[in-house]
Amino acid sequence: MAGSSHGHTPAAWTGVIIAFIGFCVSGAFMVMANPMGFWAGMVIIAAGGVVGLVMRAAGLGQAKRQPQQKAGQLAHSEG
């Protein structure tokens, strides 16, 4: 998995950090029995996903790879 650079982008890091903060907020307010704070944390979690997607669309995510053809397929498609 290390060879694929999975998640090593500013978009991924930012989205995960925001979602982690949301989990902490939700967990704290759940223990304090405060439903409004819990749902506010859930909104923060969703915002982390949205921020990650927006940053990826802005070019801060991992570039999509083109599928590579195998040697046999390349020779077969030419002939």
Side-chain angles (χ1 to χ4, degrees), residues 7 10 13 28 76:
W13 279 99
H76 186 271

Side-chain angles (χ1 to χ4, degrees), residues 14-27 29 36-52:
T14 304
V16 168
I17 289 170
I18 293 171
F20 177 72
I21 291 168
F23 278 114
C24 292
V25 168
S26 288
F29 281 107
M36 290 301 291
F38 170 79
W39 288 109
M42 295 301 282
V43 169
I44 294 170
I45 293 169
V50 171
V51 168

Side-chain angles (χ1 to χ4, degrees), residues 4-5 7 12 15 17 19 21 33 36 39 53-54 58-59 65 69 74-76:
S4 68
S5 296
I17 289 170
I21 291 168
M36 290 301 291
W39 288 109
L53 290 173
V54 168
R65 292 185 180 183
Q69 291 184 341
L74 183 61
H76 186 271

